[in-house]
Amino acid sequence: MYGPRVDDDPHEQLHTTLPLDERAALLVDSLTSAEADRLLHRLRVADCDRDREVDAAIDAALSVVPRVARGHVRRALRGGR
Amino acid sequence: MSRRRPSLPGVQAELTRLARLLDCAADDVADLARFDAAELRALRLAVATRQRARGAAVHARLARAGRLVPPRVTASVAHRTMPARVAAEVVSAMRPDHAVEVAHHLPVDYLADVTRHLAPDAAVPVVTGLSEQVLLSVSHELRRRDDFTTMAEVVTALTAAQVEAVAGALDDAAALLQVALHITDDAALDRLVRTLPEPLLARMARRARREARAWPHLLDLLRRLPADRRRRLLASAAQA
């Protein structure tokens, strides 16, 4: 009754997070819980790093775009944000 | 029955590539070294696909913005403002012909940095579209850095004619042996071994013979050749 929820299982989360083919799925299933947990953690940290990197790149790009094109580029880069 | 290799440069190459995707040191994923290179490659490609899908919308916007100005300006802005990894992800969202145009305006060292992070499926149409001059410059730069992990991925993306051009220009048996040992895609390895001229393969064989660690892998490579060609090469290596 108080056991871990299925969606807390790091193997299960890797299966739902990554588009695994048969070979990669077997690898994930062979990981210990600690290894699967570490891999999941690294994926999440890398996601945050990437988001920050892209945001910084957009800000930097806007600052160097020639003035004549800046309006177009700003609208194109920011999209719906 | 599958045979475990006695030493595993392909495994190390895949751990390095996975660590690059996960922003960590290869040592941090060393607990995965018990898997073989093909399994690790499958995991790495899944991680890369997922990361690209996650950032697809913003990468597509950056790619569209790149079309609003001439390729030379796009290249200059990318070089001045974008970490190579972000640029590599934007390349995945660009039309390959546009990515090639922009690539021809980038400095070689930055292009080599971007190549390091390029996803294999995005790399194929871009790398195969590069002029021979740019391709050779990037290859020489990667060789200068001893970045065989990336060179192996580049070779995996090249056409047979491009492999021949790069191998001929490098004319470096030691480097090509390392590149071959870092390739984890079977089809690419077949293409490389069948494309390399025999004198160069013979030099690679002689080199591998001197490096005990490389020898079993070279035998694995030579298995891909017709028997008569394989025998000639082994005889040539034995005489060295």
Side-chain angles (χ1 to χ4, degrees):
Chain A
M1 183 175 178
Y2 296 107
R5 293 191 348 236
V6 171
D7 59 4
D8 286 338
D9 174 14
H11 295 94
E12 206 54 48
Q13 290 186 59
L14 285 170
H15 274 277
T16 53
T17 303
L18 295 171
L20 302 171
D21 66 7
E22 194 179 348
R23 197 174 243 166
L26 281 172
L27 183 155
V28 164
D29 290 340
S30 313
L31 297 174
T32 65
S33 290
E35 288 169 341
D37 216 25
R38 272 200 297 279
L39 182 56
L40 203 54
H41 174 70
R42 289 195 193 292
L43 277 169
R44 288 175 179 151
V45 171
D47 285 348
C48 295
D49 289 349
R50 270 154 202 260
D51 289 347
R52 271 197 299 272
E53 219 171 40
V54 169
D55 281 344
I58 289 176
D59 289 342
L62 282 172
S63 71
V64 298
V65 167
R67 188 179 299 275
V68 66
R70 201 167 288 168
H72 291 297
V73 176
R74 179 180 289 114
R75 280 191 293 280
L77 291 184
R78 292 295 182 201
R81 296 198 302 174
Chain B
M1 198 172 81
S2 72
R3 182 173 55 88
R4 288 268 167 185
R5 295 174 180 184
S7 60
L8 306 163
V11 167
Q12 200 50 50
E14 283 302 332
L15 291 178
T16 301
R17 292 171 188 138
L18 181 63
R20 282 177 188 170
L21 286 175
L22 296 175
D23 292 333
C24 61
D27 278 354
D28 294 334
V29 288
D31 51 359
L32 301 179
R34 67 178 182 279
F35 296 102
D36 70 29
E39 291 166 327
L40 290 170
R41 181 178 179 83
L43 176 68
R44 193 246 310 175
L45 294 180
V47 171
T49 301
R50 187 254 179 186
Q51 287 180 333
R52 265 194 303 149
R54 199 176 155 276
V58 71
H59 298 146
R61 284 202 296 275
L62 283 160
R64 275 199 302 275
R67 291 193 64 77
L68 296 172
V69 290
R72 185 182 296 278
V73 176
T74 303
S76 167
V77 171
H79 179 223
R80 286 159 67 190
T81 65
M82 259 186 215
R85 191 174 60 180
V86 177
E89 289 182 340
V90 176
V91 166
S92 305
M94 291 170 84
R95 268 189 13 213
D97 58 334
H98 186 230
V100 169
E101 271 186 282
V102 173
H104 284 127
H105 294 287
L106 289 170
V108 167
D109 59 341
Y110 182 71
L111 203 47
D113 290 341
V114 174
T115 305
R116 196 167 175 258
H117 296 284
L118 216 47
D121 53 343
V124 172
V126 178
V127 172
T128 53
L130 292 175
S131 70
E132 190 169 306
Q133 187 193 349
V134 170
L135 181 61
L136 294 183
S137 300
V138 172
S139 302
H140 282 296
E141 174 62 19
L142 293 170
R143 170 66 186 101
R144 191 187 64 74
R145 300 177 184 186
D146 286 342
D147 187 352
F148 302 117
T149 304
T150 303
M151 287 179 84
E153 284 291 271
V154 171
V155 166
T156 298
L158 296 180
T159 63
Q162 287 178 312
V163 168
E164 207 170 345
V166 168
L170 289 176
D171 192 31
D172 181 341
L176 287 168
L177 178 61
Q178 287 304 317
V179 170
L181 299 184
H182 285 76
I183 291 177
T184 53
D185 178 86
D186 260 0
L189 205 47
D190 274 336
R191 196 168 58 245
L192 176 69
V193 173
R194 288 170 187 276
T195 305
L196 291 178
E198 198 154 313
L200 191 51
L201 268 177
R203 278 162 53 207
M204 287 166 67
R206 286 195 287 275
R207 182 92 198 182
R209 189 165 171 260
R210 289 201 296 273
E211 294 174 20
R213 192 171 155 273
W215 184 243
H217 298 289
L218 188 92
L219 292 178
D220 203 24
L221 294 184
L222 297 185
R223 274 195 305 114
R224 297 160 191 276
L225 291 173
D228 57 334
R229 222 181 139 194
R230 184 172 64 236
R231 275 195 293 273
R232 273 203 309 277
L233 283 166
L234 287 171
S236 156
Q239 285 162 10

PDB file of all heavy atoms in Angstrom, chain A residues 25-57:
ATOM      1  N   ALA A  25      16.230   0.175 -24.907  1.00  0.00           N
ATOM      2  CA  ALA A  25      15.284  -0.206 -23.847  1.00  0.00           C
ATOM      3  C   ALA A  25      15.873  -1.325 -22.996  1.00  0.00           C
ATOM      4  O   ALA A  25      15.749  -1.320 -21.766  1.00  0.00           O
ATOM      5  CB  ALA A  25      13.960  -0.637 -24.466  1.00  0.00           C
ATOM      6  N   LEU A  26      16.549  -2.262 -23.652  1.00  0.00           N
ATOM      7  CA  LEU A  26      17.170  -3.362 -22.895  1.00  0.00           C
ATOM      8  C   LEU A  26      18.272  -2.826 -21.980  1.00  0.00           C
ATOM      9  O   LEU A  26      18.410  -3.267 -20.844  1.00  0.00           O
ATOM     10  CB  LEU A  26      17.757  -4.394 -23.866  1.00  0.00           C
ATOM     11  CG  LEU A  26      16.741  -5.351 -24.484  1.00  0.00           C
ATOM     12  CD1 LEU A  26      17.398  -6.197 -25.569  1.00  0.00           C
ATOM     13  CD2 LEU A  26      16.129  -6.251 -23.409  1.00  0.00           C
ATOM     14  N   LEU A  27      19.039  -1.870 -22.522  1.00  0.00           N
ATOM     15  CA  LEU A  27      20.094  -1.264 -21.687  1.00  0.00           C
ATOM     16  C   LEU A  27      19.469  -0.612 -20.446  1.00  0.00           C
ATOM     17  O   LEU A  27      19.914  -0.837 -19.327  1.00  0.00           O
ATOM     18  CB  LEU A  27      20.875  -0.232 -22.512  1.00  0.00           C
ATOM     19  CG  LEU A  27      22.061   0.457 -21.827  1.00  0.00           C
ATOM     20  CD1 LEU A  27      23.069   0.928 -22.870  1.00  0.00           C
ATOM     21  CD2 LEU A  27      21.668   1.631 -20.954  1.00  0.00           C
ATOM     22  N   VAL A  28      18.426   0.189 -20.679  1.00  0.00           N
ATOM     23  CA  VAL A  28      17.779   0.883 -19.546  1.00  0.00           C
ATOM     24  C   VAL A  28      17.260  -0.135 -18.530  1.00  0.00           C
ATOM     25  O   VAL A  28      17.424   0.040 -17.319  1.00  0.00           O
ATOM     26  CB  VAL A  28      16.639   1.791 -20.070  1.00  0.00           C
ATOM     27  CG1 VAL A  28      15.704   2.208 -18.936  1.00  0.00           C
ATOM     28  CG2 VAL A  28      17.227   3.020 -20.744  1.00  0.00           C
ATOM     29  N   ASP A  29      16.666  -1.211 -19.021  1.00  0.00           N
ATOM     30  CA  ASP A  29      16.127  -2.228 -18.093  1.00  0.00           C
ATOM     31  C   ASP A  29      17.237  -2.930 -17.312  1.00  0.00           C
ATOM     32  O   ASP A  29      16.982  -3.500 -16.253  1.00  0.00           O
ATOM     33  CB  ASP A  29      15.301  -3.264 -18.865  1.00  0.00           C
ATOM     34  CG  ASP A  29      14.006  -2.660 -19.384  1.00  0.00           C
ATOM     35  OD1 ASP A  29      13.583  -1.619 -18.840  1.00  0.00           O
ATOM     36  OD2 ASP A  29      13.421  -3.209 -20.338  1.00  0.00           O
ATOM     37  N   SER A  30      18.467  -2.908 -17.861  1.00  0.00           N
ATOM     38  CA  SER A  30      19.587  -3.569 -17.173  1.00  0.00           C
ATOM     39  C   SER A  30      20.251  -2.674 -16.131  1.00  0.00           C
ATOM     40  O   SER A  30      21.140  -3.124 -15.408  1.00  0.00           O
ATOM     41  CB  SER A  30      20.667  -3.988 -18.171  1.00  0.00           C
ATOM     42  OG  SER A  30      20.116  -4.631 -19.254  1.00  0.00           O
ATOM     43  N   LEU A  31      19.865  -1.404 -16.089  1.00  0.00           N
ATOM     44  CA  LEU A  31      20.485  -0.494 -15.113  1.00  0.00           C
ATOM     45  C   LEU A  31      19.963  -0.805 -13.711  1.00  0.00           C
ATOM     46  O   LEU A  31      18.808  -1.218 -13.551  1.00  0.00           O
ATOM     47  CB  LEU A  31      20.131   0.964 -15.451  1.00  0.00           C
ATOM     48  CG  LEU A  31      20.625   1.522 -16.782  1.00  0.00           C
ATOM     49  CD1 LEU A  31      20.056   2.925 -16.993  1.00  0.00           C
ATOM     50  CD2 LEU A  31      22.145   1.554 -16.827  1.00  0.00           C
ATOM     51  N   THR A  32      20.814  -0.598 -12.721  1.00  0.00           N
ATOM     52  CA  THR A  32      20.317  -0.669 -11.349  1.00  0.00           C
ATOM     53  C   THR A  32      19.439   0.565 -11.119  1.00  0.00           C
ATOM     54  O   THR A  32      19.498   1.540 -11.896  1.00  0.00           O
ATOM     55  CB  THR A  32      21.478  -0.641 -10.340  1.00  0.00           C
ATOM     56  OG1 THR A  32      22.127   0.632 -10.451  1.00  0.00           O
ATOM     57  CG2 THR A  32      22.481  -1.756 -10.600  1.00  0.00           C
ATOM     58  N   SER A  33      18.661   0.542 -10.053  1.00  0.00           N
ATOM     59  CA  SER A  33      17.795   1.700  -9.770  1.00  0.00           C
ATOM     60  C   SER A  33      18.641   2.962  -9.560  1.00  0.00           C
ATOM     61  O   SER A  33      18.276   4.046 -10.019  1.00  0.00           O
ATOM     62  CB  SER A  33      16.948   1.439  -8.527  1.00  0.00           C
ATOM     63  OG  SER A  33      16.000   0.455  -8.820  1.00  0.00           O
ATOM     64  N   ALA A  34      19.793   2.791  -8.876  1.00  0.00           N
ATOM     65  CA  ALA A  34      20.652   3.956  -8.621  1.00  0.00           C
ATOM     66  C   ALA A  34      21.198   4.514  -9.935  1.00  0.00           C
ATOM     67  O   ALA A  34      21.249   5.733 -10.138  1.00  0.00           O
ATOM     68  CB  ALA A  34      21.797   3.566  -7.688  1.00  0.00           C
ATOM     69  N   GLU A  35      21.590   3.626 -10.843  1.00  0.00           N
ATOM     70  CA  GLU A  35      22.118   4.088 -12.144  1.00  0.00           C
ATOM     71  C   GLU A  35      21.025   4.787 -12.958  1.00  0.00           C
ATOM     72  O   GLU A  35      21.271   5.834 -13.576  1.00  0.00           O
ATOM     73  CB  GLU A  35      22.669   2.899 -12.929  1.00  0.00           C
ATOM     74  CG  GLU A  35      23.973   2.350 -12.381  1.00  0.00           C
ATOM     75  CD  GLU A  35      24.357   1.017 -13.006  1.00  0.00           C
ATOM     76  OE1 GLU A  35      23.475   0.337 -13.592  1.00  0.00           O
ATOM     77  OE2 GLU A  35      25.535   0.633 -12.896  1.00  0.00           O
ATOM     78  N   ALA A  36      19.835   4.194 -12.956  1.00  0.00           N
ATOM     79  CA  ALA A  36      18.726   4.797 -13.710  1.00  0.00           C
ATOM     80  C   ALA A  36      18.390   6.166 -13.129  1.00  0.00           C
ATOM     81  O   ALA A  36      18.137   7.131 -13.864  1.00  0.00           O
ATOM     82  CB  ALA A  36      17.510   3.870 -13.660  1.00  0.00           C
ATOM     83  N   ASP A  37      18.428   6.268 -11.834  1.00  0.00           N
ATOM     84  CA  ASP A  37      18.152   7.527 -11.153  1.00  0.00           C
ATOM     85  C   ASP A  37      19.186   8.583 -11.526  1.00  0.00           C
ATOM     86  O   ASP A  37      18.848   9.734 -11.809  1.00  0.00           O
ATOM     87  CB  ASP A  37      18.194   7.264  -9.640  1.00  0.00           C
ATOM     88  CG  ASP A  37      17.166   8.096  -8.916  1.00  0.00           C
ATOM     89  OD1 ASP A  37      16.161   8.464  -9.556  1.00  0.00           O
ATOM     90  OD2 ASP A  37      17.394   8.386  -7.724  1.00  0.00           O
ATOM     91  N   ARG A  38      20.462   8.173 -11.545  1.00  0.00           N
ATOM     92  CA  ARG A  38      21.537   9.119 -11.903  1.00  0.00           C
ATOM     93  C   ARG A  38      21.367   9.596 -13.340  1.00  0.00           C
ATOM     94  O   ARG A  38      21.515  10.780 -13.631  1.00  0.00           O
ATOM     95  CB  ARG A  38      22.904   8.451 -11.746  1.00  0.00           C
ATOM     96  CG  ARG A  38      23.496   8.574 -10.342  1.00  0.00           C
ATOM     97  CD  ARG A  38      25.007   8.352 -10.358  1.00  0.00           C
ATOM     98  NE  ARG A  38      25.379   7.013 -10.790  1.00  0.00           N
ATOM     99  CZ  ARG A  38      25.364   5.960 -10.002  1.00  0.00           C
ATOM    100  NH1 ARG A  38      25.000   6.070  -8.743  1.00  0.00           N
ATOM    101  NH2 ARG A  38      25.727   4.763 -10.454  1.00  0.00           N
ATOM    102  N   LEU A  39      21.042   8.678 -14.230  1.00  0.00           N
ATOM    103  CA  LEU A  39      20.878   9.047 -15.638  1.00  0.00           C
ATOM    104  C   LEU A  39      19.718  10.039 -15.794  1.00  0.00           C
ATOM    105  O   LEU A  39      19.833  11.043 -16.505  1.00  0.00           O
ATOM    106  CB  LEU A  39      20.639   7.778 -16.481  1.00  0.00           C
ATOM    107  CG  LEU A  39      20.492   7.961 -17.984  1.00  0.00           C
ATOM    108  CD1 LEU A  39      21.698   8.672 -18.590  1.00  0.00           C
ATOM    109  CD2 LEU A  39      20.301   6.598 -18.674  1.00  0.00           C
ATOM    110  N   LEU A  40      18.647   9.758 -15.105  1.00  0.00           N
ATOM    111  CA  LEU A  40      17.478  10.642 -15.154  1.00  0.00           C
ATOM    112  C   LEU A  40      17.835  12.036 -14.618  1.00  0.00           C
ATOM    113  O   LEU A  40      17.472  13.055 -15.212  1.00  0.00           O
ATOM    114  CB  LEU A  40      16.381  10.016 -14.290  1.00  0.00           C
ATOM    115  CG  LEU A  40      14.940  10.399 -14.557  1.00  0.00           C
ATOM    116  CD1 LEU A  40      14.553  10.179 -16.008  1.00  0.00           C
ATOM    117  CD2 LEU A  40      14.031   9.564 -13.649  1.00  0.00           C
ATOM    118  N   HIS A  41      18.578  12.051 -13.527  1.00  0.00           N
ATOM    119  CA  HIS A  41      18.992  13.319 -12.930  1.00  0.00           C
ATOM    120  C   HIS A  41      19.867  14.107 -13.913  1.00  0.00           C
ATOM    121  O   HIS A  41      19.674  15.311 -14.110  1.00  0.00           O
ATOM    122  CB  HIS A  41      19.747  13.038 -11.625  1.00  0.00           C
ATOM    123  CG  HIS A  41      20.344  14.260 -11.008  1.00  0.00           C
ATOM    124  ND1 HIS A  41      19.581  15.241 -10.426  1.00  0.00           N
ATOM    125  CD2 HIS A  41      21.629  14.667 -10.915  1.00  0.00           C
ATOM    126  CE1 HIS A  41      20.374  16.208  -9.993  1.00  0.00           C
ATOM    127  NE2 HIS A  41      21.627  15.880 -10.275  1.00  0.00           N
ATOM    128  N   ARG A  42      20.807  13.407 -14.549  1.00  0.00           N
ATOM    129  CA  ARG A  42      21.696  14.091 -15.499  1.00  0.00           C
ATOM    130  C   ARG A  42      20.910  14.656 -16.685  1.00  0.00           C
ATOM    131  O   ARG A  42      21.215  15.725 -17.196  1.00  0.00           O
ATOM    132  CB  ARG A  42      22.775  13.134 -16.004  1.00  0.00           C
ATOM    133  CG  ARG A  42      23.794  12.797 -14.947  1.00  0.00           C
ATOM    134  CD  ARG A  42      25.040  12.168 -15.513  1.00  0.00           C
ATOM    135  NE  ARG A  42      25.836  11.586 -14.453  1.00  0.00           N
ATOM    136  CZ  ARG A  42      26.461  12.278 -13.517  1.00  0.00           C
ATOM    137  NH1 ARG A  42      26.412  13.596 -13.529  1.00  0.00           N
ATOM    138  NH2 ARG A  42      27.150  11.663 -12.578  1.00  0.00           N
ATOM    139  N   LEU A  43      19.901  13.910 -17.124  1.00  0.00           N
ATOM    140  CA  LEU A  43      19.061  14.403 -18.231  1.00  0.00           C
ATOM    141  C   LEU A  43      18.370  15.700 -17.838  1.00  0.00           C
ATOM    142  O   LEU A  43      18.323  16.655 -18.622  1.00  0.00           O
ATOM    143  CB  LEU A  43      17.984  13.360 -18.565  1.00  0.00           C
ATOM    144  CG  LEU A  43      18.378  12.217 -19.484  1.00  0.00           C
ATOM    145  CD1 LEU A  43      17.293  11.153 -19.498  1.00  0.00           C
ATOM    146  CD2 LEU A  43      18.609  12.736 -20.897  1.00  0.00           C
ATOM    147  N   ARG A  44      17.867  15.740 -16.615  1.00  0.00           N
ATOM    148  CA  ARG A  44      17.130  16.938 -16.169  1.00  0.00           C
ATOM    149  C   ARG A  44      18.066  18.129 -16.009  1.00  0.00           C
ATOM    150  O   ARG A  44      17.722  19.246 -16.386  1.00  0.00           O
ATOM    151  CB  ARG A  44      16.422  16.642 -14.846  1.00  0.00           C
ATOM    152  CG  ARG A  44      15.238  15.715 -15.072  1.00  0.00           C
ATOM    153  CD  ARG A  44      14.593  15.323 -13.776  1.00  0.00           C
ATOM    154  NE  ARG A  44      13.455  14.456 -14.016  1.00  0.00           N
ATOM    155  CZ  ARG A  44      13.030  13.536 -13.172  1.00  0.00           C
ATOM    156  NH1 ARG A  44      13.651  13.360 -12.027  1.00  0.00           N
ATOM    157  NH2 ARG A  44      11.987  12.805 -13.461  1.00  0.00           N
ATOM    158  N   VAL A  45      19.252  17.875 -15.456  1.00  0.00           N
ATOM    159  CA  VAL A  45      20.222  18.968 -15.304  1.00  0.00           C
ATOM    160  C   VAL A  45      20.626  19.497 -16.682  1.00  0.00           C
ATOM    161  O   VAL A  45      20.698  20.707 -16.912  1.00  0.00           O
ATOM    162  CB  VAL A  45      21.461  18.483 -14.510  1.00  0.00           C
ATOM    163  CG1 VAL A  45      22.565  19.530 -14.529  1.00  0.00           C
ATOM    164  CG2 VAL A  45      21.074  18.143 -13.074  1.00  0.00           C
ATOM    165  N   ALA A  46      20.861  18.560 -17.620  1.00  0.00           N
ATOM    166  CA  ALA A  46      21.253  18.972 -18.975  1.00  0.00           C
ATOM    167  C   ALA A  46      20.132  19.788 -19.624  1.00  0.00           C
ATOM    168  O   ALA A  46      20.400  20.761 -20.342  1.00  0.00           O
ATOM    169  CB  ALA A  46      21.582  17.742 -19.825  1.00  0.00           C
ATOM    170  N   ASP A  47      18.879  19.429 -19.378  1.00  0.00           N
ATOM    171  CA  ASP A  47      17.742  20.196 -19.920  1.00  0.00           C
ATOM    172  C   ASP A  47      17.795  21.644 -19.432  1.00  0.00           C
ATOM    173  O   ASP A  47      17.642  22.582 -20.218  1.00  0.00           O
ATOM    174  CB  ASP A  47      16.409  19.588 -19.455  1.00  0.00           C
ATOM    175  CG  ASP A  47      16.066  18.310 -20.199  1.00  0.00           C
ATOM    176  OD1 ASP A  47      16.733  18.026 -21.203  1.00  0.00           O
ATOM    177  OD2 ASP A  47      15.134  17.610 -19.756  1.00  0.00           O
ATOM    178  N   CYS A  48      18.009  21.801 -18.129  1.00  0.00           N
ATOM    179  CA  CYS A  48      18.052  23.166 -17.558  1.00  0.00           C
ATOM    180  C   CYS A  48      19.218  23.949 -18.151  1.00  0.00           C
ATOM    181  O   CYS A  48      19.072  25.120 -18.523  1.00  0.00           O
ATOM    182  CB  CYS A  48      18.196  23.103 -16.039  1.00  0.00           C
ATOM    183  SG  CYS A  48      16.774  22.376 -15.239  1.00  0.00           S
ATOM    184  N   ASP A  49      20.383  23.299 -18.250  1.00  0.00           N
ATOM    185  CA  ASP A  49      21.566  23.971 -18.819  1.00  0.00           C
ATOM    186  C   ASP A  49      21.266  24.432 -20.248  1.00  0.00           C
ATOM    187  O   ASP A  49      21.616  25.534 -20.642  1.00  0.00           O
ATOM    188  CB  ASP A  49      22.766  23.015 -18.850  1.00  0.00           C
ATOM    189  CG  ASP A  49      23.308  22.749 -17.456  1.00  0.00           C
ATOM    190  OD1 ASP A  49      22.890  23.457 -16.521  1.00  0.00           O
ATOM    191  OD2 ASP A  49      24.134  21.823 -17.306  1.00  0.00           O
ATOM    192  N   ARG A  50      20.623  23.554 -21.016  1.00  0.00           N
ATOM    193  CA  ARG A  50      20.329  23.893 -22.410  1.00  0.00           C
ATOM    194  C   ARG A  50      19.359  25.067 -22.512  1.00  0.00           C
ATOM    195  O   ARG A  50      19.530  25.949 -23.341  1.00  0.00           O
ATOM    196  CB  ARG A  50      19.722  22.681 -23.134  1.00  0.00           C
ATOM    197  CG  ARG A  50      20.790  21.853 -23.753  1.00  0.00           C
ATOM    198  CD  ARG A  50      20.396  20.421 -23.930  1.00  0.00           C
ATOM    199  NE  ARG A  50      21.636  19.679 -24.029  1.00  0.00           N
ATOM    200  CZ  ARG A  50      22.164  19.282 -25.170  1.00  0.00           C
ATOM    201  NH1 ARG A  50      21.545  19.523 -26.294  1.00  0.00           N
ATOM    202  NH2 ARG A  50      23.306  18.660 -25.178  1.00  0.00           N
ATOM    203  N   ASP A  51      18.345  25.068 -21.667  1.00  0.00           N
ATOM    204  CA  ASP A  51      17.376  26.167 -21.704  1.00  0.00           C
ATOM    205  C   ASP A  51      18.074  27.497 -21.422  1.00  0.00           C
ATOM    206  O   ASP A  51      17.842  28.495 -22.111  1.00  0.00           O
ATOM    207  CB  ASP A  51      16.266  25.936 -20.654  1.00  0.00           C
ATOM    208  CG  ASP A  51      15.339  24.793 -21.065  1.00  0.00           C
ATOM    209  OD1 ASP A  51      15.405  24.370 -22.229  1.00  0.00           O
ATOM    210  OD2 ASP A  51      14.576  24.323 -20.198  1.00  0.00           O
ATOM    211  N   ARG A  52      18.948  27.475 -20.423  1.00  0.00           N
ATOM    212  CA  ARG A  52      19.671  28.705 -20.073  1.00  0.00           C
ATOM    213  C   ARG A  52      20.578  29.138 -21.224  1.00  0.00           C
ATOM    214  O   ARG A  52      20.649  30.309 -21.574  1.00  0.00           O
ATOM    215  CB  ARG A  52      20.526  28.478 -18.824  1.00  0.00           C
ATOM    216  CG  ARG A  52      19.782  28.766 -17.522  1.00  0.00           C
ATOM    217  CD  ARG A  52      20.749  28.929 -16.362  1.00  0.00           C
ATOM    218  NE  ARG A  52      21.525  27.713 -16.139  1.00  0.00           N
ATOM    219  CZ  ARG A  52      21.130  26.720 -15.362  1.00  0.00           C
ATOM    220  NH1 ARG A  52      19.978  26.798 -14.734  1.00  0.00           N
ATOM    221  NH2 ARG A  52      21.863  25.644 -15.192  1.00  0.00           N
ATOM    222  N   GLU A  53      21.244  28.163 -21.823  1.00  0.00           N
ATOM    223  CA  GLU A  53      22.188  28.448 -22.915  1.00  0.00           C
ATOM    224  C   GLU A  53      21.459  29.067 -24.113  1.00  0.00           C
ATOM    225  O   GLU A  53      21.940  30.025 -24.718  1.00  0.00           O
ATOM    226  CB  GLU A  53      22.832  27.123 -23.330  1.00  0.00           C
ATOM    227  CG  GLU A  53      24.291  27.209 -23.654  1.00  0.00           C
ATOM    228  CD  GLU A  53      24.893  25.825 -23.833  1.00  0.00           C
ATOM    229  OE1 GLU A  53      24.246  24.931 -24.427  1.00  0.00           O
ATOM    230  OE2 GLU A  53      26.021  25.630 -23.387  1.00  0.00           O
ATOM    231  N   VAL A  54      20.294  28.502 -24.446  1.00  0.00           N
ATOM    232  CA  VAL A  54      19.536  29.008 -25.596  1.00  0.00           C
ATOM    233  C   VAL A  54      19.025  30.415 -25.308  1.00  0.00           C
ATOM    234  O   VAL A  54      19.116  31.312 -26.164  1.00  0.00           O
ATOM    235  CB  VAL A  54      18.367  28.055 -25.947  1.00  0.00           C
ATOM    236  CG1 VAL A  54      17.422  28.697 -26.951  1.00  0.00           C
ATOM    237  CG2 VAL A  54      18.910  26.756 -26.517  1.00  0.00           C
ATOM    238  N   ASP A  55      18.510  30.646 -24.102  1.00  0.00           N
ATOM    239  CA  ASP A  55      18.025  31.987 -23.751  1.00  0.00           C
ATOM    240  C   ASP A  55      19.148  33.010 -23.859  1.00  0.00           C
ATOM    241  O   ASP A  55      18.963  34.104 -24.393  1.00  0.00           O
ATOM    242  CB  ASP A  55      17.445  31.993 -22.325  1.00  0.00           C
ATOM    243  CG  ASP A  55      16.036  31.403 -22.298  1.00  0.00           C
ATOM    244  OD1 ASP A  55      15.421  31.290 -23.380  1.00  0.00           O
ATOM    245  OD2 ASP A  55      15.565  31.028 -21.206  1.00  0.00           O
ATOM    246  N   ALA A  56      20.320  32.631 -23.348  1.00  0.00           N
ATOM    247  CA  ALA A  56      21.460  33.550 -23.398  1.00  0.00           C
ATOM    248  C   ALA A  56      21.868  33.803 -24.853  1.00  0.00           C
ATOM    249  O   ALA A  56      22.210  34.936 -25.223  1.00  0.00           O
ATOM    250  CB  ALA A  56      22.636  32.967 -22.616  1.00  0.00           C
ATOM    251  N   ALA A  57      21.803  32.754 -25.682  1.00  0.00           N
ATOM    252  CA  ALA A  57      22.185  32.903 -27.093  1.00  0.00           C
ATOM    253  C   ALA A  57      21.214  33.845 -27.806  1.00  0.00           C
ATOM    254  O   ALA A  57      21.625  34.670 -28.635  1.00  0.00           O
ATOM    255  CB  ALA A  57      22.212  31.542 -27.784  1.00  0.00           C
TER     256      ALA A  57
END
